[in-house]
Amino acid sequence: MEDSGGQFAPEGTETDPNANAPPHDSAPAGEERSWTWLLLLLALVAVVGLGSAVGRLFYGERSLAVRDFSGEALGTTWTVKVVLPEGISLVLLEAIRDTIQANLDEVNRLMSTWDASSEISRFNSHDSREPFALSPPTLAVLEAARIVGERTGGALDITVGPLVEAWGFGPGAGDPSDAIPPDEETVDSLRVLTGLDRIRIDKSAGTAAKADSEVKVDLSAVAKGYAVDRVTGGLVDLSLADFAVEVGGEVRSVGGKPDGTAWRVGIEAPEPGTRRMHGSVELHDEAVATSGDYRNFYERDGVRYAHVIDPRTGYPVRLTGFSVAVLHNEAMYADAWATALAVLGPEEGLRTAEREELAAVFLVQSETGLRELPTTAWQERNGL
């Protein structure tokens, strides 16, 4: 099921330092080139180890600033904010950007349903029930989705893609405004191809198999979160200590801002047609993800059809104007849980989140205005 995400983005208005950067000279060939890039890597480690004696030795006590990097991947946009010394070289900024883009490109190569050549698209085209070899990252995302799906009674189901498309959403559905809701017979026929038991994962063998050759997998409810985690890992490997990563609305932070405060992320009010922030939450080396019915939907004969499809029924959720935000140590799980809780809705979702001890909050439109329904963990986490 496609995850709606939300208006989550680290605060700030800095621009991309590479936007107008001149091209740098190409590296020398052979051994000289290897030594050149080794020295650049050592210099990068020195720069981004902001609190280290080595960094001070190389660059002195320079003031810090937030640098923005941004682009597109996985059918959405991404933004990364990194705390760096002012005056850092363009070559080192480019190395950071290359690390971000390489990790996002790899996730896209493995998990994008918008790319017919991706690993998951090739698995979907695998017209057989025989095991199909998958990479460790893809298997890890499949396993995370399975865990959350089982813990929520099937509210998260990565095989729901055909139903999502039938209702007018997803990569193969075209413009939702032109969609025609499917009839009951169509929904019932597609439900035969969905369910947690439709995919069998063999981690030891590195494979997954379909119970029916026509089963298809859609990882959009988890892949963006995984992409955030993947970029985070790449930046940590570069010894960066303070940054925030956002992909399609899912955000994860490490460290804080130059002034020592935490990264703060806005939580959007679930109001169709507006971009109003309801509040914000501080992130302390953690991730936040959101899902809801207010951004991606269409109406037919006075009925709203949202992209949040309940795999247990095959139909869109029937609420109007709600969202849920979830905090977790990993963006992949925050993403998965947000999708599942949105399917469950505020009442069942809140009970499930309490049982799982999740820090989560539902925002629900009512006759008296916008209501907040936080879990105990959310209240304790945010001092409420």
Side-chain angles (χ1 to χ4, degrees):
M1 181 181 68
E2 179 187 354
D3 183 15
S4 68
Q7 190 57 31
F8 283 72
E11 295 176 342
T13 57
E14 299 81 2
T15 58
D16 184 349
N18 292 315
N20 300 305
H24 61 278
D25 294 336
S26 60
E31 184 177 350
E32 184 178 354
R33 179 173 180 174
S34 298
W35 279 106
T36 298
W37 283 107
L38 176 60
L39 290 173
L40 284 173
L41 179 60
L42 291 173
L44 177 60
V45 172
V47 173
V48 299
L50 298 176
S52 69
V54 176
R56 290 193 297 273
L57 177 63
F58 270 70
Y59 293 94
E61 298 293 344
R62 292 191 180 184
S63 59
L64 303 178
V66 176
R67 301 299 186 105
D68 274 11
F69 304 83
S70 61
E72 297 182 358
L74 296 170
T76 187
T77 59
W78 61 266
T79 301
V80 176
K81 293 178 180 289
V82 185
V83 177
L84 293 168
E86 291 185 344
I88 190 173
S89 76
L90 291 175
V91 173
L92 298 179
L93 289 172
E94 184 175 317
I96 295 173
R97 168 173 278 281
D98 287 348
T99 294
I100 296 168
Q101 193 64 57
N103 280 284
L104 290 172
D105 287 347
E106 179 66 1
V107 177
N108 194 81
R109 185 185 70 82
L110 296 175
M111 304 177 194
S112 174
T113 52
W114 300 85
D115 181 355
S117 66
S118 73
E119 183 175 71
I120 205 65
S121 292
R122 287 184 284 110
F123 174 69
N124 285 341
S125 299
H126 181 56
D127 189 21
S128 171
R129 293 186 294 177
E130 293 298 313
F132 186 92
L134 293 172
S135 63
T138 301
L139 286 169
V141 171
L142 287 172
E143 179 67 8
R146 182 193 65 78
I147 291 171
V148 175
E150 289 184 350
R151 297 296 298 174
T152 56
L156 179 67
D157 184 352
I158 55 175
T159 69
V160 78
L163 282 165
V164 173
E165 291 193 3
W167 284 102
F169 306 98
D175 189 341
S177 64
D178 298 326
I180 299 175
D183 56 29
E184 183 177 353
E185 182 179 355
T186 299
V187 171
D188 289 343
S189 67
L190 292 175
R191 287 189 64 199
V192 175
L193 302 175
T194 66
L196 297 177
D197 60 346
R198 300 288 87 187
I199 300 292
R200 296 186 298 274
I201 303 169
D202 188 336
K203 292 187 292 183
S204 60
T207 63
K210 306 175 183 180
D212 187 300
S213 61
E214 295 185 35
V215 169
K216 297 184 184 302
V217 167
D218 183 352
L219 298 179
S220 59
V222 193
K224 287 187 298 181
Y226 173 78
V228 170
D229 291 333
R230 177 110 182 192
V231 171
T232 297
L235 297 181
V236 168
D237 288 344
L238 289 179
S239 298
L240 288 163
D242 299 282
F243 59 88
V245 179
E246 178 264 333
V247 178
E250 324 304 6
V251 186
R252 181 172 173 178
S253 77
V254 172
K257 297 179 182 179
D259 61 3
T261 61
W263 297 101
R264 183 174 288 276
V265 179
I267 299 179
E268 194 174 73
E271 298 172 354
T274 69
R275 307 296 279 186
R276 182 178 68 83
M277 290 298 160
H278 172 72
S280 63
V281 62
E282 289 186 349
L283 296 184
H284 300 278
D285 295 323
E286 59 193 337
V288 64
T290 187
S291 186
D293 73 337
Y294 63 99
R295 187 64 60 206
N296 192 3
F297 65 91
Y298 61 88
E299 292 188 3
R300 291 288 181 275
D301 300 323
V303 178
R304 176 190 290 188
Y305 298 97
H307 81 288
V308 182
I309 309 299
D310 188 340
R312 302 168 301 175
T313 66
Y315 289 81
V317 295
R318 286 300 186 187
L319 294 172
T320 300
F322 80 97
S323 67
V324 58
V326 179
L327 290 166
H328 200 280
N329 291 334
E330 296 180 64
M332 176 174 65
Y333 277 100
D335 199 0
W337 278 111
T339 301
L341 295 179
V343 168
L344 294 176
E347 294 184 7
E348 186 180 358
L350 188 60
R351 290 194 299 270
T352 300
E354 287 284 13
R355 184 195 69 211
E356 298 293 330
E357 299 182 346
L358 296 172
V361 61
F362 282 89
L363 301 180
V364 184
Q365 295 287 355
S366 68
E367 294 180 357
T368 58
L370 192 61
R371 296 173 57 210
E372 288 189 12
L373 301 174
T375 63
T376 301
W378 179 277
Q379 295 179 73
E380 293 175 346
R381 160 65 178 70
N382 294 292
L384 300 178

